[in-house]
PDB file of all heavy atoms in Angstrom:
ATOM      1  N   VAL K 257     -68.129 -65.340 -29.814  1.00 98.00           N
ATOM      2  CA  VAL K 257     -69.121 -66.376 -29.984  1.00 98.00           C
ATOM      3  C   VAL K 257     -69.266 -66.691 -31.470  1.00 98.00           C
ATOM      4  O   VAL K 257     -69.414 -65.724 -32.302  1.00 98.00           O
ATOM      5  CB  VAL K 257     -70.457 -65.882 -29.328  1.00 98.00           C
ATOM      6  CG1 VAL K 257     -71.052 -64.640 -29.938  1.00 98.00           C
ATOM      7  CG2 VAL K 257     -71.512 -67.029 -29.395  1.00 98.00           C
ATOM      8  N   THR K 258     -69.357 -67.958 -31.756  1.00 97.00           N
ATOM      9  CA  THR K 258     -69.301 -68.459 -33.162  1.00 97.00           C
ATOM     10  C   THR K 258     -70.193 -69.600 -33.418  1.00 97.00           C
ATOM     11  O   THR K 258     -70.494 -70.394 -32.538  1.00 97.00           O
ATOM     12  CB  THR K 258     -67.777 -68.801 -33.525  1.00 97.00           C
ATOM     13  OG1 THR K 258     -67.662 -70.078 -33.083  1.00 97.00           O
ATOM     14  CG2 THR K 258     -66.788 -67.887 -33.044  1.00 97.00           C
ATOM     15  N   PRO K 259     -70.609 -69.663 -34.727  1.00 96.00           N
ATOM     16  CA  PRO K 259     -71.275 -70.938 -35.169  1.00 96.00           C
ATOM     17  C   PRO K 259     -70.168 -72.096 -35.105  1.00 96.00           C
ATOM     18  O   PRO K 259     -69.043 -71.875 -34.789  1.00 96.00           O
ATOM     19  CB  PRO K 259     -71.620 -70.671 -36.581  1.00 96.00           C
ATOM     20  CG  PRO K 259     -71.668 -69.200 -36.657  1.00 96.00           C
ATOM     21  CD  PRO K 259     -70.621 -68.726 -35.731  1.00 96.00           C
ATOM     22  N   ASN K 260     -70.599 -73.222 -35.446  1.00 94.00           N
ATOM     23  CA  ASN K 260     -69.695 -74.474 -35.131  1.00 94.00           C
ATOM     24  C   ASN K 260     -68.400 -74.435 -35.837  1.00 94.00           C
ATOM     25  O   ASN K 260     -67.326 -74.481 -35.285  1.00 94.00           O
ATOM     26  CB  ASN K 260     -70.601 -75.718 -35.577  1.00 94.00           C
ATOM     27  CG  ASN K 260     -70.173 -76.973 -34.795  1.00 94.00           C
ATOM     28  OD1 ASN K 260     -69.062 -77.014 -34.277  1.00 94.00           O
ATOM     29  ND2 ASN K 260     -71.111 -77.892 -34.491  1.00 94.00           N
ATOM     30  N   LEU K 261     -68.464 -74.424 -37.222  1.00 94.00           N
ATOM     31  CA  LEU K 261     -67.165 -74.611 -38.041  1.00 94.00           C
ATOM     32  C   LEU K 261     -66.200 -73.500 -37.762  1.00 94.00           C
ATOM     33  O   LEU K 261     -64.866 -73.603 -37.524  1.00 94.00           O
ATOM     34  CB  LEU K 261     -67.588 -74.754 -39.362  1.00 94.00           C
ATOM     35  CG  LEU K 261     -66.275 -74.736 -40.356  1.00 94.00           C
ATOM     36  CD1 LEU K 261     -65.318 -76.106 -40.030  1.00 94.00           C
ATOM     37  CD2 LEU K 261     -66.610 -74.837 -41.837  1.00 94.00           C
ATOM     38  N   TYR K 262     -66.737 -72.150 -37.668  1.00 95.00           N
ATOM     39  CA  TYR K 262     -65.851 -71.126 -37.631  1.00 95.00           C
ATOM     40  C   TYR K 262     -65.198 -71.084 -36.164  1.00 95.00           C
ATOM     41  O   TYR K 262     -63.940 -70.671 -36.036  1.00 95.00           O
ATOM     42  CB  TYR K 262     -66.654 -69.721 -37.566  1.00 95.00           C
ATOM     43  CG  TYR K 262     -67.557 -69.544 -38.800  1.00 95.00           C
ATOM     44  CD1 TYR K 262     -68.662 -68.763 -38.754  1.00 95.00           C
ATOM     45  CD2 TYR K 262     -67.268 -70.256 -40.058  1.00 95.00           C
ATOM     46  CE1 TYR K 262     -69.512 -68.598 -39.807  1.00 95.00           C
ATOM     47  CE2 TYR K 262     -68.114 -70.027 -41.107  1.00 95.00           C
ATOM     48  CZ  TYR K 262     -69.183 -69.200 -41.032  1.00 95.00           C
ATOM     49  OH  TYR K 262     -70.076 -69.140 -42.100  1.00 95.00           O
ATOM     50  N   GLY K 263     -65.939 -71.637 -35.173  1.00 94.00           N
ATOM     51  CA  GLY K 263     -65.374 -71.712 -33.826  1.00 94.00           C
ATOM     52  C   GLY K 263     -64.138 -72.585 -33.719  1.00 94.00           C
ATOM     53  O   GLY K 263     -63.216 -72.363 -33.025  1.00 94.00           O
ATOM     54  N   ASN K 264     -64.206 -73.700 -34.508  1.00 93.00           N
ATOM     55  CA  ASN K 264     -63.126 -74.608 -34.479  1.00 93.00           C
ATOM     56  C   ASN K 264     -61.851 -74.016 -34.997  1.00 93.00           C
ATOM     57  O   ASN K 264     -60.740 -74.095 -34.522  1.00 93.00           O
ATOM     58  CB  ASN K 264     -63.465 -75.917 -35.348  1.00 93.00           C
ATOM     59  CG  ASN K 264     -62.416 -77.068 -35.155  1.00 93.00           C
ATOM     60  OD1 ASN K 264     -61.687 -76.987 -34.211  1.00 93.00           O
ATOM     61  ND2 ASN K 264     -62.503 -78.020 -36.037  1.00 93.00           N
ATOM     62  N   LEU K 265     -62.019 -73.219 -36.130  1.00 94.00           N
ATOM     63  CA  LEU K 265     -60.873 -72.610 -36.870  1.00 94.00           C
ATOM     64  C   LEU K 265     -60.435 -71.457 -35.922  1.00 94.00           C
ATOM     65  O   LEU K 265     -59.064 -71.301 -35.794  1.00 94.00           O
ATOM     66  CB  LEU K 265     -61.343 -71.953 -38.237  1.00 94.00           C
ATOM     67  CG  LEU K 265     -62.002 -73.203 -39.158  1.00 94.00           C
ATOM     68  CD1 LEU K 265     -62.422 -72.404 -40.374  1.00 94.00           C
ATOM     69  CD2 LEU K 265     -61.025 -74.260 -39.451  1.00 94.00           C
ATOM     70  N   VAL K 266     -61.210 -70.626 -35.442  1.00 96.00           N
ATOM     71  CA  VAL K 266     -60.822 -69.422 -34.639  1.00 96.00           C
ATOM     72  C   VAL K 266     -60.158 -69.931 -33.308  1.00 96.00           C
ATOM     73  O   VAL K 266     -59.100 -69.409 -32.897  1.00 96.00           O
ATOM     74  CB  VAL K 266     -62.098 -68.643 -34.286  1.00 96.00           C
ATOM     75  CG1 VAL K 266     -61.729 -67.584 -33.129  1.00 96.00           C
ATOM     76  CG2 VAL K 266     -62.648 -67.887 -35.511  1.00 96.00           C
ATOM     77  N   ALA K 267     -60.702 -70.956 -32.635  1.00 95.00           N
ATOM     78  CA  ALA K 267     -60.099 -71.417 -31.463  1.00 95.00           C
ATOM     79  C   ALA K 267     -58.687 -72.030 -31.613  1.00 95.00           C
ATOM     80  O   ALA K 267     -57.757 -71.653 -30.856  1.00 95.00           O
ATOM     81  CB  ALA K 267     -60.944 -72.543 -30.740  1.00 95.00           C
ATOM     82  N   ASN K 268     -58.491 -72.821 -32.721  1.00 94.00           N
ATOM     83  CA  ASN K 268     -57.119 -73.314 -33.014  1.00 94.00           C
ATOM     84  C   ASN K 268     -56.111 -72.184 -33.308  1.00 94.00           C
ATOM     85  O   ASN K 268     -54.951 -72.254 -32.984  1.00 94.00           O
ATOM     86  CB  ASN K 268     -57.300 -74.282 -34.066  1.00 94.00           C
ATOM     87  CG  ASN K 268     -57.759 -75.739 -33.513  1.00 94.00           C
ATOM     88  OD1 ASN K 268     -56.847 -76.492 -33.063  1.00 94.00           O
ATOM     89  ND2 ASN K 268     -58.987 -75.927 -33.589  1.00 94.00           N
ATOM     90  N   THR K 269     -56.626 -71.227 -34.072  1.00 95.00           N
ATOM     91  CA  THR K 269     -55.858 -70.072 -34.422  1.00 95.00           C
ATOM     92  C   THR K 269     -55.381 -69.267 -33.175  1.00 95.00           C
ATOM     93  O   THR K 269     -54.182 -68.928 -33.035  1.00 95.00           O
ATOM     94  CB  THR K 269     -56.433 -69.120 -35.506  1.00 95.00           C
ATOM     95  OG1 THR K 269     -56.881 -69.920 -36.590  1.00 95.00           O
ATOM     96  CG2 THR K 269     -55.597 -68.096 -35.855  1.00 95.00           C
ATOM     97  N   ALA K 270     -56.375 -69.036 -32.373  1.00 95.00           N
ATOM     98  CA  ALA K 270     -56.082 -68.242 -31.156  1.00 95.00           C
ATOM     99  C   ALA K 270     -55.131 -69.036 -30.281  1.00 95.00           C
ATOM    100  O   ALA K 270     -54.269 -68.343 -29.612  1.00 95.00           O
ATOM    101  CB  ALA K 270     -57.444 -67.874 -30.445  1.00 95.00           C
ATOM    102  N   ALA K 271     -55.297 -70.290 -30.157  1.00 94.00           N
ATOM    103  CA  ALA K 271     -54.460 -71.142 -29.306  1.00 94.00           C
ATOM    104  C   ALA K 271     -52.994 -70.973 -29.882  1.00 94.00           C
ATOM    105  O   ALA K 271     -52.081 -70.874 -28.990  1.00 94.00           O
ATOM    106  CB  ALA K 271     -54.992 -72.560 -29.307  1.00 94.00           C
TER     107      ALA K 271
END
Side-chain angles (χ1 to χ4, degrees):
V257 58
T258 78
N260 208 332
L261 178 61
Y262 309 154
N264 192 14
L265 306 178
V266 168
N268 279 274
T269 302

